[in-house]
CSV table of all heavy atoms in Angstrom, one decimal:
chain,number,residue,atom,x,y,z
A,1,ALA,N,53.3,280.8,60.1
A,1,ALA,CA,54.2,281.9,60.0
A,1,ALA,C,53.5,283.1,59.7
A,1,ALA,O,52.5,283.1,59.0
A,1,ALA,CB,55.3,281.6,59.0
A,2,THR,N,54.0,284.3,60.2
A,2,THR,CA,53.5,285.6,59.8
A,2,THR,C,54.7,286.5,59.6
A,2,THR,O,55.8,286.3,60.0
A,2,THR,CB,52.6,286.2,61.0
A,2,THR,OG1,53.5,286.3,62.1
A,2,THR,CG2,51.4,285.4,61.2
A,3,ILE,N,54.3,287.6,58.9
A,3,ILE,CA,55.3,288.7,58.6
A,3,ILE,C,54.6,290.0,58.5
A,3,ILE,O,53.6,290.1,57.9
A,3,ILE,CB,56.1,288.3,57.2
A,3,ILE,CG1,57.2,289.3,57.0
A,3,ILE,CG2,55.1,288.2,56.1
A,3,ILE,CD1,58.2,288.9,55.8
A,4,THR,N,55.3,291.0,59.1
A,4,THR,CA,54.8,292.3,59.0
A,4,THR,C,55.3,293.1,57.8
A,4,THR,O,56.2,292.6,57.1
A,4,THR,CB,55.2,293.1,60.3
A,4,THR,OG1,56.6,293.4,60.2
A,4,THR,CG2,54.8,292.4,61.5
A,5,SER,N,54.7,294.2,57.5
A,5,SER,CA,55.2,295.0,56.3
A,5,SER,C,56.6,295.4,56.5
A,5,SER,O,57.2,295.7,55.5
A,5,SER,CB,54.2,296.2,56.1
A,5,SER,OG,54.2,297.0,57.3
A,6,GLY,N,57.0,295.5,57.7
A,6,GLY,CA,58.5,295.9,58.0
A,6,GLY,C,59.4,294.7,58.0
A,6,GLY,O,60.6,294.9,58.1
A,7,GLY,N,58.8,293.5,57.8
A,7,GLY,CA,59.7,292.3,57.7
A,7,GLY,C,59.9,291.5,58.9
A,7,GLY,O,60.7,290.5,58.9
A,8,THR,N,59.2,291.8,60.0
A,8,THR,CA,59.3,291.0,61.2
A,8,THR,C,58.6,289.7,61.1
A,8,THR,O,57.4,289.7,60.7
A,8,THR,CB,58.8,291.8,62.5
A,8,THR,OG1,59.5,293.1,62.6
A,8,THR,CG2,58.9,291.0,63.7
A,9,THR,N,59.2,288.6,61.3
A,9,THR,CA,58.6,287.3,61.1
A,9,THR,C,58.4,286.5,62.5
A,9,THR,O,59.0,286.8,63.5
A,9,THR,CB,59.5,286.5,60.2
A,9,THR,OG1,60.8,286.3,60.8
A,9,THR,CG2,59.7,287.1,58.9
A,10,ASN,N,57.5,285.6,62.4
A,10,ASN,CA,57.2,284.8,63.5
A,10,ASN,C,56.8,283.4,63.0
A,10,ASN,O,56.1,283.3,61.9
A,10,ASN,CB,56.0,285.3,64.3
A,10,ASN,CG,55.7,284.5,65.5
A,10,ASN,OD1,56.6,284.0,66.2
A,10,ASN,ND2,54.4,284.3,65.9
A,11,PHE,N,57.4,282.3,63.6
A,11,PHE,CA,57.2,281.0,63.0
A,11,PHE,C,56.7,280.0,64.1
A,11,PHE,O,57.2,280.2,65.3
A,11,PHE,CB,58.5,280.4,62.4
A,11,PHE,CG,59.0,281.1,61.2
A,11,PHE,CD1,59.8,282.2,61.3
A,11,PHE,CD2,58.5,280.6,59.9
A,11,PHE,CE1,60.3,282.7,60.1
A,11,PHE,CE2,59.0,281.2,58.8
A,11,PHE,CZ,59.8,282.3,58.8
A,12,ALA,N,55.9,279.1,63.8
A,12,ALA,CA,55.7,278.0,64.7
A,12,ALA,C,57.0,277.2,64.9
A,12,ALA,O,57.7,277.0,63.9
A,12,ALA,CB,54.6,277.1,64.1
A,13,ASP,N,57.2,276.6,66.1
A,13,ASP,CA,58.4,275.8,66.3
A,13,ASP,C,58.5,274.6,65.4
A,13,ASP,O,59.6,274.3,65.0
A,13,ASP,CB,58.3,275.3,67.8
A,13,ASP,CG,58.6,276.4,68.8
A,13,ASP,OD1,59.1,277.5,68.4
A,13,ASP,OD2,58.3,276.2,70.0
A,14,SER,N,57.4,274.1,65.0
A,14,SER,CA,57.4,272.9,64.2
A,14,SER,C,57.9,273.1,62.7
A,14,SER,O,58.2,272.2,62.0
A,14,SER,CB,55.9,272.3,64.1
A,14,SER,OG,55.0,273.2,63.5
A,15,VAL,N,57.9,274.4,62.3
A,15,VAL,CA,58.4,274.7,60.9
A,15,VAL,C,59.7,275.5,60.9
A,15,VAL,O,60.2,275.7,59.8
A,15,VAL,CB,57.3,275.4,60.1
A,15,VAL,CG1,56.0,274.6,60.2
A,15,VAL,CG2,57.1,276.9,60.6
A,16,LYS,N,60.2,275.9,62.0
A,16,LYS,CA,61.4,276.7,62.1
A,16,LYS,C,62.6,275.9,61.4
A,16,LYS,O,62.7,274.7,61.6
A,16,LYS,CB,61.8,277.0,63.4
A,16,LYS,CG,61.0,278.2,64.0
A,16,LYS,CD,61.4,278.5,65.5
A,16,LYS,CE,60.5,279.6,66.1
A,16,LYS,NZ,60.8,279.8,67.5
A,17,GLY,N,63.3,276.6,60.6
A,17,GLY,CA,64.4,275.9,59.9
A,17,GLY,C,64.0,275.2,58.6
A,17,GLY,O,64.9,274.8,57.7
A,18,ARG,N,62.7,275.1,58.4
A,18,ARG,CA,62.2,274.4,57.2
A,18,ARG,C,61.4,275.3,56.2
A,18,ARG,O,61.5,275.3,55.0
A,18,ARG,CB,61.4,273.2,57.5
A,18,ARG,CG,62.1,272.1,58.3
A,18,ARG,CD,61.2,270.8,58.4
A,18,ARG,NE,60.0,271.1,59.1
A,18,ARG,CZ,58.8,270.8,58.6
A,18,ARG,NH1,58.7,270.4,57.4
A,18,ARG,NH2,57.7,271.1,59.4
A,19,PHE,N,60.7,276.2,56.8
A,19,PHE,CA,59.8,277.2,56.2
A,19,PHE,C,60.4,278.6,56.3
A,19,PHE,O,60.9,278.9,57.3
A,19,PHE,CB,58.4,277.2,56.7
A,19,PHE,CG,57.6,275.9,56.5
A,19,PHE,CD1,58.2,274.7,56.1
A,19,PHE,CD2,56.2,275.9,56.8
A,19,PHE,CE1,57.4,273.6,55.9
A,19,PHE,CE2,55.5,274.8,56.7
A,19,PHE,CZ,56.1,273.6,56.2
A,20,THR,N,60.2,279.3,55.1
A,20,THR,CA,60.6,280.7,55.2
A,20,THR,C,59.3,281.5,54.7
A,20,THR,O,58.5,281.0,53.9
A,20,THR,CB,61.8,281.0,54.4
A,20,THR,OG1,61.6,280.7,53.0
A,20,THR,CG2,63.0,280.3,54.8
A,21,ILE,N,59.2,282.7,55.2
A,21,ILE,CA,58.1,283.6,54.7
A,21,ILE,C,58.7,284.9,54.3
A,21,ILE,O,59.7,285.4,54.8
A,21,ILE,CB,57.1,283.8,55.9
A,21,ILE,CG1,55.8,284.5,55.3
A,21,ILE,CG2,57.7,284.5,57.0
A,21,ILE,CD1,54.7,284.5,56.3
A,22,SER,N,58.1,285.4,53.2
A,22,SER,CA,58.6,286.7,52.7
A,22,SER,C,57.4,287.4,52.1
A,22,SER,O,56.3,286.8,51.9
A,22,SER,CB,59.6,286.4,51.6
A,22,SER,OG,59.1,285.7,50.5
A,23,ARG,N,57.6,288.6,51.7
A,23,ARG,CA,56.5,289.4,51.1
A,23,ARG,C,57.0,290.5,50.2
A,23,ARG,O,58.1,291.0,50.3
A,23,ARG,CB,55.6,290.0,52.2
A,23,ARG,CG,56.2,291.1,53.0
A,23,ARG,CD,55.3,291.5,54.2
A,23,ARG,NE,54.1,292.3,53.7
A,23,ARG,CZ,53.1,292.6,54.5
A,23,ARG,NH1,53.0,292.1,55.7
A,23,ARG,NH2,52.1,293.4,54.0
A,24,ASP,N,56.2,290.8,49.2
A,24,ASP,CA,56.4,291.8,48.3
A,24,ASP,C,55.4,292.9,48.5
A,24,ASP,O,54.2,292.8,48.2
A,24,ASP,CB,56.3,291.4,46.8
A,24,ASP,CG,56.6,292.4,45.8
A,24,ASP,OD1,56.5,293.6,46.1
A,24,ASP,OD2,57.1,292.0,44.6
A,25,ASN,N,55.8,294.0,49.2
A,25,ASN,CA,54.8,295.0,49.6
A,25,ASN,C,54.2,295.7,48.4
A,25,ASN,O,53.1,296.2,48.5
A,25,ASN,CB,55.5,296.0,50.6
A,25,ASN,CG,55.8,295.4,52.0
A,25,ASN,OD1,55.1,294.4,52.4
A,25,ASN,ND2,56.8,295.9,52.6
A,26,ALA,N,55.0,295.8,47.4
A,26,ALA,CA,54.5,296.5,46.2
A,26,ALA,C,53.3,295.7,45.6
A,26,ALA,O,52.5,296.3,44.9
A,26,ALA,CB,55.6,296.8,45.2
A,27,LYS,N,53.3,294.4,45.7
A,27,LYS,CA,52.3,293.6,45.2
A,27,LYS,C,51.3,293.1,46.2
A,27,LYS,O,50.4,292.3,45.9
A,27,LYS,CB,52.9,292.4,44.5
A,27,LYS,CG,53.8,292.7,43.3
A,27,LYS,CD,54.4,291.4,42.7
A,27,LYS,CE,55.3,291.8,41.5
A,27,LYS,NZ,55.9,290.5,40.9
A,28,ASN,N,51.5,293.5,47.4
A,28,ASN,CA,50.6,293.1,48.6
A,28,ASN,C,50.6,291.5,48.6
A,28,ASN,O,49.5,291.0,48.8
A,28,ASN,CB,49.2,293.7,48.5
A,28,ASN,CG,49.2,295.2,48.5
A,28,ASN,OD1,50.0,295.8,49.2
A,28,ASN,ND2,48.3,295.8,47.7
A,29,THR,N,51.7,290.9,48.4
A,29,THR,CA,51.7,289.5,48.3
A,29,THR,C,52.6,288.9,49.3
A,29,THR,O,53.8,289.4,49.5
A,29,THR,CB,52.0,289.0,46.9
A,29,THR,OG1,51.1,289.5,45.9
A,29,THR,CG2,52.1,287.5,46.8
A,30,VAL,N,52.2,287.8,49.9
A,30,VAL,CA,53.1,287.1,50.9
A,30,VAL,C,53.3,285.6,50.3
A,30,VAL,O,52.5,285.1,49.6
A,30,VAL,CB,52.4,287.0,52.2
A,30,VAL,CG1,51.1,286.2,52.3
A,30,VAL,CG2,53.4,286.4,53.3
A,31,TYR,N,54.5,285.2,50.6
A,31,TYR,CA,54.9,283.8,50.0
A,31,TYR,C,55.4,282.9,51.2
A,31,TYR,O,56.1,283.5,52.2
A,31,TYR,CB,56.1,284.0,49.1
A,31,TYR,CG,55.9,285.0,48.0
A,31,TYR,CD1,56.3,286.3,48.0
A,31,TYR,CD2,55.2,284.6,46.8
A,31,TYR,CE1,56.1,287.2,47.0
A,31,TYR,CE2,54.9,285.4,45.8
A,31,TYR,CZ,55.4,286.7,45.9
A,31,TYR,OH,55.1,287.6,44.8
A,32,LEU,N,55.1,281.7,51.1
A,32,LEU,CA,55.5,280.7,52.1
A,32,LEU,C,56.3,279.7,51.4
A,32,LEU,O,55.6,278.9,50.6
A,32,LEU,CB,54.3,280.1,52.9
A,32,LEU,CG,54.8,279.1,54.0
A,32,LEU,CD1,55.4,279.9,55.1
A,32,LEU,CD2,53.5,278.4,54.5
A,33,GLN,N,57.6,279.7,51.6
A,33,GLN,CA,58.4,278.6,51.0
A,33,GLN,C,58.6,277.5,52.0
A,33,GLN,O,59.1,277.6,53.0
A,33,GLN,CB,59.8,279.1,50.6
A,33,GLN,CG,60.8,278.1,50.0
A,33,GLN,CD,60.3,277.6,48.7
A,33,GLN,OE1,59.9,278.4,47.8
A,33,GLN,NE2,60.4,276.3,48.5
A,34,MET,N,58.1,276.3,51.6
A,34,MET,CA,58.1,275.1,52.5
A,34,MET,C,59.0,274.1,51.9
A,34,MET,O,58.9,273.6,50.9
A,34,MET,CB,56.7,274.6,52.5
A,34,MET,CG,55.6,275.6,53.0
A,34,MET,SD,54.0,274.9,53.3
A,34,MET,CE,53.6,274.4,51.6
A,35,ASN,N,60.1,273.8,52.7
A,35,ASN,CA,61.1,272.9,52.4
A,35,ASN,C,61.1,271.7,53.3
A,35,ASN,O,60.6,271.8,54.4
A,35,ASN,CB,62.5,273.5,52.3
A,35,ASN,CG,62.6,274.6,51.3
A,35,ASN,OD1,62.0,274.6,50.2
A,35,ASN,ND2,63.4,275.6,51.7
A,36,THR,N,61.7,270.6,52.9
A,36,THR,CA,61.8,269.4,53.7
A,36,THR,C,60.5,269.0,54.3
A,36,THR,O,60.3,268.8,55.5
A,36,THR,CB,62.9,269.6,54.8
A,36,THR,OG1,64.0,270.3,54.3
A,36,THR,CG2,63.3,268.3,55.4
A,37,LEU,N,59.5,269.0,53.5
A,37,LEU,CA,58.1,268.7,53.9
A,37,LEU,C,58.0,267.4,54.5
A,37,LEU,O,58.6,266.4,54.0
A,37,LEU,CB,57.1,268.9,52.8
A,37,LEU,CG,56.8,270.4,52.5
A,37,LEU,CD1,56.2,270.6,51.1
A,37,LEU,CD2,55.9,271.0,53.6
A,38,LYS,N,57.1,267.3,55.6
A,38,LYS,CA,56.9,266.0,56.3
A,38,LYS,C,55.4,265.7,56.1
A,38,LYS,O,54.6,266.6,55.9
A,38,LYS,CB,57.2,266.2,57.8
A,38,LYS,CG,58.7,266.6,58.0
A,38,LYS,CD,58.8,266.9,59.5
A,38,LYS,CE,60.2,267.3,59.8
A,38,LYS,NZ,60.4,267.6,61.3
A,39,PRO,N,55.0,264.4,56.3
A,39,PRO,CA,53.6,264.0,56.3
A,39,PRO,C,52.7,264.8,57.2
A,39,PRO,O,51.6,265.2,56.9
A,39,PRO,CB,53.6,262.6,56.6
A,39,PRO,CG,54.9,262.1,56.1
A,39,PRO,CD,55.9,263.3,56.4
A,40,GLU,N,53.3,265.2,58.3
A,40,GLU,CA,52.5,266.0,59.4
A,40,GLU,C,52.3,267.4,59.0
A,40,GLU,O,51.6,268.1,59.7
A,40,GLU,CB,53.3,265.9,60.8
A,40,GLU,CG,54.7,266.3,60.8
A,40,GLU,CD,55.6,265.0,60.7
A,40,GLU,OE1,55.3,264.1,59.9
A,40,GLU,OE2,56.6,264.9,61.4
A,41,ASP,N,53.0,267.8,57.9
A,41,ASP,CA,52.6,269.2,57.4
A,41,ASP,C,51.3,269.2,56.5
A,41,ASP,O,50.9,270.2,56.1
A,41,ASP,CB,53.8,269.7,56.5
A,41,ASP,CG,55.1,269.9,57.3
A,41,ASP,OD1,55.0,270.5,58.4
A,41,ASP,OD2,56.1,269.5,56.8
A,42,THR,N,50.8,268.0,56.2
A,42,THR,CA,49.5,267.9,55.5
A,42,THR,C,48.4,268.6,56.2
A,42,THR,O,48.2,268.4,57.4
A,42,THR,CB,49.2,266.4,55.3
A,42,THR,OG1,50.2,265.8,54.5
A,42,THR,CG2,47.8,266.3,54.6
């Protein structure tokens, strides 16, 4: 997954609906929240 400073996101099909991406521009930090993890996410 990727996210621009303006908030535009892009996800791999395999993670859509399970992963979310966000960022804090003030901290120059990006977060990847991964839910419903599967063994193939290893």
Side-chain angles (χ1 to χ4, degrees):
T2 60
I3 184 168
T4 68
S5 58
T8 300
T9 59
N10 183 37
F11 291 91
D13 288 342
S14 59
V15 306
K16 285 180 180 177
R18 300 188 297 122
F19 293 10
T20 59
I21 190 168
S22 61
R23 65 188 286 170
D24 184 335
N25 290 331
K27 296 180 179 180
N28 299 325
T29 300
V30 62
Y31 305 97
L32 183 70
Q33 178 66 43
M34 304 184 292
N35 298 325
T36 319
L37 282 160
K38 304 175 181 180
E40 51 263 43
D41 294 316
T42 296

